[in-house]
Structures are given as structure tokens and as C-alpha cells.
Amino acid sequence: MSLHDPTPASGTAASGTAANGTTASATTLRGVGVSPGRAAGPVVRIAEPLNEPSSVPAPSDPHADIERIRPAAHLVADRLTIRATTVEGSARSVLETTAAMAVDPALLSQAEKLVSERSLPAERAVYEAGNEFAEMVAGAGEYLAERARDVQDVRDRIVAELLGVAAPGPPEMTRPGVLVARDLSPADTAGLDPALVLALVTEEGGPTSHTAILARSLGIPAIVAVSGVLAHPAAGVTVDGDTGTVELTDHPVHVEASSRPEEREWSGACHTADGHPITVLANIGSGTDAQVAHRAGAPGVGLFRTEFCYLAAPEEPDVAAQRAAYAEAMAPFTGKSVVVRTLDAGADKPLPFLHASSEPNPALGVRGLRVAFERPAIVDRQLEAIAAAADDTGAAVSVMAPMVATAEEASWFVERARTAGITRAGVMIEIPAAALAAHDILDAADFISIGTNDLAQYAFAADRTLGALATLNDPWQPALLRFVDTLGRAGGEHGKPVGVCGEAAADPLLAGILLGLGATSLSTSATALPAVGTALAEHSLADYRKAAQSALSAPGPDQARQHAREVLG
């Protein structure tokens, strides 16, 4: 049960009669529906992660333990790469990205260092190195925070290889069932067979997770943040991804599979059924992400998060190092649009060289562009490196600042971008105050881009990492949609673009609503691009506008989804 949900989330429902004549009881739990559809079948539980490996005994030959680490990591990467060749589209992209993470030189070097300096066994060294990297990524916030789950998955796979045990993950399935787990890694989700996996139910996770995006791409119902589902000894389960309800029974249920959308190719071009063009771009956070997005057909980048260049850096990377890192990510998009977000860090997203002081409420403290107010040379050097990388690659680069609250801040940033030689500069809208000041901000900025993830958590005062508050961070919340509507109208009046770069755009149905609310471009992870790009062509712009207004009038997110479906059919 979500802490804020006034509706009881669970309880024994009225008893019924099972097929064998005995009395069956049912318990209904609620979570956040992240992929639509209804399915039912036997519960298939996913084992908990491996136990934490011991730090004793110390290896008798540390060099031999060091020599075990990289071969184990490469075996993990090879298995993931082989799995990637058996699937297509978003699933393939996720598996390829996870394989690359398994052999990340920084991760493996840190593990080797822990063996040599602290005499840790190889498996414990990998475990601790993985934890360090996961914490670092989680501290970076937003999209990168969600990648922490990927790091933990890679850590566990390598540890399992070193221990000679089976890697954690879904069991081998020979008949249809509903997977129930604490959480699922993107790689686990990408490898699922939709012919056997009827639906996904997790106790943790949120509406913007990669698991949610992949479930939609696989066409299977999924519900996340279902508190208490693991504690229930259910035999059968019925899942309704539209309403977020999970009905658990102590007896088997008849297998029911959700109808799946027909898979279609996507060329990268996108328009509505009546020919209205809409730009669908990729969100990236590294050179590897850029390659994946390019292979997925992305015609450009709507959000390039630059924090990867700074993670674990004890000192600020110099202009040359930043230039090379940015150029690697821009290179696949020569002649195409790439929107680069400047450094989003601070007390809530600590980077060693910033030496951020402790704050009682860091999420509301000196973060994002506010760091640059105190140390403008940091953003000036970054803008210099971005401009140089754009020259190196021929990408059509724009920049935007995170955590802008006022028009004055927007003007300050745009002026510095112009001085650096970048002609197109905009801002992220993540703070409610910025949404309310949209007209004044658009007087200064060339465009705005809505970060729905942060805008939701600030609008609802709900930490987006807490499963208990997942419903408040549901991108279908009508109050959040009203912010988008306000911003879309402001952009239209000023004749300037309004993008949406939060993961709200990863939901094909919601993507149409965002378009109907005035968004001129959408950007999301590469895994969601084909589904969103093809779905937007199904209806006219007028239909999307009508559906958007209907969703705005709904009292809650579930009703908003239903209203949209009723209009769009």
C-alpha cells in the first residue's frame, strides 16, 4: 500500500470456490501500472540476490585472485552479448549495454586494487567495487541513479561466476507464468520470453525504471511498487496493468495472456496520422549510450547528460578531457541535433572535486546551475569543451541548464553560452517556479525542455526513489499534465520549441498526450524509441489534443489513462 493512497491496498476479498471444490481466498494489492493489459497465471518467483560474499579468508596468492577477475567479467559479458544476438530492438540494446558495463575498465581496476591493497578475495573485491560504483551512480541522481541497478546486476553476475554458482535472475520457464520479484534488472527483463512471461510484478521500482520501459516494449502487463507482494504465499495471480491492481489467490488460476501490439519497424521519422511532424529523440549519458541510440534509429539526441565525464574524478576534468568525452558521444550524430545538458551535480549528487558542504536538505540546496553561480568557471570550461566537441564532430549542438528557477537565471546561462560560441541555448523546466515563469524564461531562452521526473517529485514533494510514493511520481498525474499544458501553451505563444525529456515520453500512450498538450519534441531512452515513434502515427493531432484535455480533467492518474484510452480507442 502506498503511504499516500487513501484506498486500502490489500485485504482478503470475498471467498470463492476453487476448481477442486475447496474455498479459495483472494487478496488484492495495488501498485503503479507501468505497462497496460490484463493477464493471469501461476506465480513464478525470482530468487533474492546472492548473499554478500565474505571478506575472509584472505587469498594466499593475491596475484592469482587478481588474475581471476577479468576472465570472469569477460565470460559474463560474452554471455550477455550472445543473448543479445537472439533478440532485437530495445532488448538487444539493453543487453549490449549491460555487457559493456561488465568489462568496464574502471570497475575491474578498482576490484583488482582491493585485492592487492586489502587482501580481499576476488569475489569480495568485485562486490565492494560494484557497491562503490553503484553508490556513485545513485548519487548522480535522475537517469544515472536508475543505472545503479544495472551496476548491481553486473556485480552479482561476476561474483556468481567467481563463486561458480548460478547467476541471480529469472528461473528457466517451460510454461506460462507471472514473474514476481523484488525488482528486475534491465538485462533480466530484456531476456524474457513474452510467450511464457505473462506479466511482471515487482515490490520495488518506479514508473520511470527501465523495467517499465522494457515491459511496454515486450507488450506484457507490468506493475511496480506493489508493497507486500513478496510476503504473500500466492499460487495464482491476476494482473491489471491499466489499474495497477494485483489479485493474489492461494489456488491456481486459469492462464490468461494479454493481447500484444503488432511489432513494426521504425525508420526514425515520426508524424501523426494527419501528417503533423513530431521529433522523437534519444536520451543518452555516455558514448556507449550514443552508439545504442544510433543503432536504434534515433535521429538525434534530446538530452545528453554530461555527468558521466565527472564521476569518480578527484579533480575537475580539464577542457581537453571533457572535449574528447563529449565528442565520443556526439560522433554518431554528425549533422544532427544534440541537446547537451550542463553539469547537474551538487550536495545531493556529490562529485569529489566540488567539495560540496553538508546541507540539511540537499535536494533543495546548491545543485545544478546553482553550483555554477558560486563557481562560474566550471560551467564556462564545460561550455568551451562542448563548443569544441561540436566543431570536432559536426553535430548540431544546443545546450541547456538544469535546475533553473527564474528568468534571471535563464538569462545568466544563455549569455554565458553565447560567449562560448554556442548559438542555441535553453533551460530545463524541473522546478514548479520555473513552469510558472515560463513566459519570462522563454523571453531569454531559445527553447525549454521539461524534465518530468524531477518536476513531478518537486511538485508533489515526493522522493522519486521511494517505492511507497511511486503513485505520486506517476507521470499520468493530472497536476503534472497541467504543468505540461501550461508550458506547451507558453511555447506556442512565443513560437519556441517545448521538449519533454523525462521518461514520461517513454510511454507510447502518454507520448501522444504530451504532443496534444503542446510538446514539439519528445526524447527518451533508446529502448523506448521504436514503440513511441510508431505509436504516434496512429492518431491525428486533433485526436491527441482532445485526449489530452480529457486526461487533464481526470481526478487521478488511473482515470487519466482511462480517459485517454476512451478517446483514442
Side-chain angles (χ1 to χ4, degrees):
M1 175 178 174
S2 298
L3 293 179
H4 62 276
D5 191 348
T7 304
S10 64
T12 53
S15 299
T17 302
N20 61 5
T22 62
T23 300
S25 62
T27 297
T28 300
L29 303 178
R30 287 187 60 83
V32 179
V34 295
S35 184
R38 181 180 172 87
V43 171
V44 178
R45 298 183 184 276
I46 297 180
E48 293 288 328
L50 295 173
N51 291 329
E52 184 175 325
S54 175
S55 58
V56 293
S60 57
D61 183 355
H63 179 72
D65 263 43
I66 288 174
E67 291 297 313
R68 296 172 56 214
I69 292 174
R70 290 184 186 260
H74 280 278
L75 278 173
V76 169
D78 289 345
R79 290 194 187 99
L80 291 168
T81 301
I82 291 171
R83 282 174 57 192
T85 63
T86 66
V87 293
E88 297 295 335
S90 57
R92 182 169 188 165
S93 297
V94 166
L95 289 167
E96 289 174 343
T97 300
T98 307
M101 292 178 67
V103 290
D104 182 271
L107 173 65
L108 301 183
S109 294
Q110 178 62 13
E112 292 166 345
K113 182 179 178 181
L114 291 173
V115 175
S116 63
E117 293 186 355
R118 292 177 49 196
S119 294
L120 294 179
E123 55 270 15
R124 178 68 189 190
V126 170
Y127 184 83
E128 291 196 12
N131 283 352
E132 290 178 19
F133 274 74
E135 289 172 5
M136 188 186 310
V137 171
E142 205 193 35
Y143 162 85
L144 287 175
E146 291 165 0
R147 299 300 293 270
R149 181 68 184 88
D150 303 42
V151 177
Q152 293 165 345
D153 177 46
V154 164
R155 174 203 67 192
D156 290 346
R157 291 176 189 274
I158 300 175
V159 168
E161 186 64 38
L162 290 166
L163 292 172
V165 300
E172 189 75 24
M173 294 180 65
T174 58
R175 60 176 184 169
V178 175
L179 285 184
V180 177
R182 185 168 303 282
D183 200 0
L184 276 169
S185 73
D188 284 337
T189 312
L192 299 178
D193 181 355
L196 294 175
V197 179
L198 302 170
L200 302 176
V201 179
T202 65
E203 185 159 292
E204 298 178 354
T208 62
S209 67
H210 277 93
T211 297
I213 297 167
L214 284 165
R216 286 193 290 264
S217 72
L218 292 170
I220 56 178
I223 303 177
V224 301
V226 185
S227 178
V229 69
L230 292 178
H232 198 286
V237 59
T238 300
V239 176
D240 190 331
D242 295 286
T243 64
T245 57
V246 177
E247 186 175 281
L248 301 155
T249 70
D250 53 9
H251 285 78
V253 297
H254 293 293
V255 170
E256 176 187 346
S258 178
S259 59
R260 298 186 177 94
E262 180 183 354
E263 292 186 8
R264 289 171 293 175
E265 294 294 326
W266 182 59
S267 66
C270 187
H271 55 78
T272 59
D274 55 342
H276 178 79
I278 179 70
T279 305
V280 180
L281 305 167
N283 292 342
I284 66 171
S286 67
T288 300
D289 286 352
Q291 293 289 344
V292 170
H294 183 259
R295 289 196 296 271
V301 174
L303 171 60
F304 173 17
R305 303 172 173 95
T306 55
E307 288 73 42
F308 81 100
C309 185
Y310 298 86
L311 290 176
E315 302 293 336
E316 178 193 353
D318 62 21
V319 171
Q322 292 185 53
R323 177 179 184 171
Y326 303 151
E328 181 185 1
M330 295 177 189
F333 298 99
T334 298
K336 298 178 180 179
S337 176
V338 176
V339 181
V340 183
R341 185 185 69 187
T342 54
L343 180 63
D344 189 7
D348 68 325
K349 304 175 181 181
L351 294 176
F353 68 86
L354 289 178
H355 307 295
S357 58
S358 176
E359 295 176 352
N361 196 341
L364 304 180
V366 180
R367 58 164 291 197
L369 189 63
R370 298 169 185 177
V371 172
F373 296 148
E374 295 185 342
R375 283 167 277 191
I378 290 178
V379 75
D380 289 343
R381 285 188 287 269
Q382 185 176 26
L383 290 170
E384 179 185 350
I386 292 169
D391 290 339
D392 293 342
T393 61
V397 169
S398 307
V399 293
M400 61 183 180
M403 292 299 293
V404 168
T406 68
E408 184 180 15
E409 293 177 0
S411 297
W412 185 90
F413 175 77
V414 170
E415 182 179 346
R416 301 194 92 83
R418 302 265 197 267
T419 300
I422 301 172
T423 58
R424 189 168 184 266
V427 302
M428 291 277 290
I429 303 293
E430 305 160 279
I431 301 173
L436 297 175
H439 287 281
D440 293 334
I441 287 175
L442 282 166
D443 283 337
D446 297 313
F447 64 94
I448 57 175
S449 186
I450 308 170
T452 52
N453 303 347
D454 266 332
L455 183 57
Q457 80 165 347
Y458 284 121
F460 292 99
D463 187 335
R464 57 192 292 262
T465 66
L466 293 180
L469 301 178
T471 300
L472 288 177
N473 283 294
D474 189 329
W476 280 92
Q477 282 284 359
L480 180 63
L481 298 181
R482 288 169 195 148
F483 273 120
V484 177
D485 184 47
T486 296
L487 294 162
R489 292 177 186 276
E493 292 176 18
H494 285 260
K496 293 184 176 180
V498 176
V500 175
C501 60
E503 288 300 340
D507 180 340
L509 179 63
L510 183 52
I513 301 305
L514 298 172
L515 177 61
L517 293 173
T520 58
S521 69
L522 305 173
S523 64
T524 184
S525 62
T527 57
L529 288 174
V532 171
T534 55
L536 287 172
E538 295 178 357
H539 302 281
S540 68
L541 179 59
D543 286 340
Y544 286 129
R545 287 173 173 166
K546 182 179 179 182
Q549 292 307 306
S550 182
L552 285 178
S553 67
D558 292 340
Q559 297 91 333
R561 287 184 181 88
Q562 186 58 36
H563 287 193
R565 290 192 181 98
E566 288 172 356
V567 173
L568 297 175

